[in-house]
Amino acid sequence: MKLLYEGKAKQLFQCENNEEIYIHYKNSATAFNGEKKEEFDKKGILNNTITSFIFEYLERNGIETHFIKKVNDTDQICKHVKIIPLEVITRNIVAGSMAKRYGLEEGMKLKKPIFELSYKNDELNDPLINDDHAIALGIVSEEELSFIKKETEKINELLKKFFLKAGLILVDFKIEFGKTSDGKIILSDEISPDTCRLWDVKTRNKLDKDRFRRNLGSVMDAYEEVLRRITSAWN
Ligand code: TMP
């Protein structure tokens, strides 16, 4: 198959049907825009399985996504979309770059979820932008951004419930949207411990990529624990 694009965690291959794309989940983990890098056995399997499970749950609950089917341990077939270059971040609890930027303690519950946008551009290190930037620069129209916001709010509510049933607090997460050939905006990319902060509800132990970013160890044990919990909670 022809490789169309290789990212830090995934490879995208062309399908015979141009409306579809074949996605392979790699074993690489990166942080700080690729500065820190490590290979983990089973990471591809875990993230493909977790993402597939979550996208199926969201589809069942009325969210339109790019996901078509999981084809094997590390691969899935999805609808071919043009990714909108925005990292759409939602925060329920203060952590990560938000704690750092505003000098706040990690773990403070927010009075309302925060919607944040970054311009997806590795060379610029995904700079934070606001709604006006996104519209004025022509990345999305006002209507498209309003749809993305509403959809993201729904996704946050669904995901909070999904993870809580598995004993996990959804602290924050990043999603991406894509446009189909007929101009429809749908949830794309992945949702996994790479793209969410997940804390154990009782101990607040971190079960996500912060274990890698912060050298906390047991990275894949944490991803496995997430998979074990969500499957036993939802099957
Ligand atoms: P941040 O606190 O570092 O801005 O991260 C917010 C959320 O976005 C967190 O759940 C991790 C996720 N994230 C990504 O998925 N990709 C990225 O490149 C970054 C920086 C964060």
Side-chain angles (χ1 to χ4, degrees):
M1 275 184 296
K2 188 177 162 213
L3 180 68
L4 293 179
Y5 172 82
E6 175 145 13
K8 292 188 281 265
K10 296 187 283 294
Q11 288 174 319
L12 272 51
F13 296 91
Q14 189 166 18
C15 284
E16 261 175 48
N17 174 353
N18 204 37
E19 297 292 310
E20 297 179 352
I21 193 142
Y22 189 98
I23 303 182
H24 170 71
Y25 280 74
K26 306 198 289 185
N27 282 337
S28 331
T30 67
F32 315 117
N33 201 12
E35 255 177 62
K36 181 176 165 72
K37 193 168 191 294
E38 201 172 321
E39 294 293 303
F40 290 98
D41 279 351
K42 287 178 56 183
K43 177 170 184 280
I45 298 179
L46 287 165
N47 273 3
N48 181 45
T49 311
I50 294 169
T51 293
S52 298
F53 199 81
I54 295 174
F55 273 67
E56 275 168 2
Y57 162 81
L58 291 173
E59 284 275 356
R60 278 200 307 279
N61 285 280
I63 302 295
E64 222 188 308
T65 82
H66 73 155
F67 184 77
I68 299 174
K69 62 177 178 202
K70 180 170 174 281
V71 287
N72 61 40
D73 282 354
T74 53
D75 304 344
Q76 51 183 251
I77 291 180
C78 293
K79 289 179 196 152
H80 195 170
V81 297
K82 195 168 187 303
I83 291 287
I84 296 169
L86 290 175
E87 303 217 322
V88 179
I89 293 161
T90 304
R91 301 181 186 275
N92 297 307
I93 289 177
V94 173
S97 70
M98 182 177 176
K100 203 169 166 194
R101 185 174 318 116
Y102 304 117
L104 299 168
E105 282 270 338
E106 272 204 333
M108 189 181 111
K109 191 171 184 308
L110 292 160
K111 296 201 188 327
K112 68 184 273 300
I114 291 177
F115 176 86
E116 261 178 29
L117 293 174
S118 287
Y119 176 46
K120 193 172 149 67
N121 182 317
D122 280 344
E123 274 169 43
L124 300 173
N125 207 4
D126 302 337
L128 191 67
I129 59 170
N130 68 25
D131 294 18
D132 281 347
H133 289 117
I135 296 163
L137 295 173
I139 303 170
V140 277
S141 69
E142 203 163 340
E143 295 69 34
E144 287 170 343
L145 187 58
S146 142
F147 172 79
I148 287 173
K149 269 194 190 181
K150 277 201 212 105
E151 203 69 354
T152 300
E153 270 173 36
K154 280 191 222 159
I155 294 167
N156 185 37
E157 291 312 312
L158 287 167
L159 290 180
K160 278 198 292 188
K161 181 177 146 202
F162 176 85
F163 285 118
L164 199 57
K165 199 170 165 195
L168 296 163
I169 304 171
L170 178 62
V171 173
D172 55 31
F173 63 99
K174 182 269 299 179
I175 49 179
E176 295 179 23
F177 290 86
K179 243 188 213 180
T180 59
S181 55
D182 52 10
K184 201 173 214 185
I185 293 180
I186 58 177
L187 179 68
S188 303
D189 194 54
E190 69 175 282
I191 299 179
S192 71
D194 270 17
T195 63
C196 301
R197 284 197 173 89
L198 300 167
W199 294 353
D200 178 82
V201 99
K202 289 202 194 97
T203 62
R204 298 212 148 195
N205 194 17
K206 297 182 199 313
L207 293 165
D208 57 62
K209 196 173 163 189
D210 270 350
R211 301 206 70 82
F212 171 67
R213 296 189 188 97
R214 301 176 188 193
N215 300 314
L216 300 174
S218 309
V219 183
M220 285 307 107
D221 291 347
Y223 284 43
E224 259 175 57
E225 174 75 10
V226 169
L227 177 58
R228 196 189 57 72
R229 288 194 194 191
I230 60 177
T231 45
S232 71
W234 287 95
N235 272 331

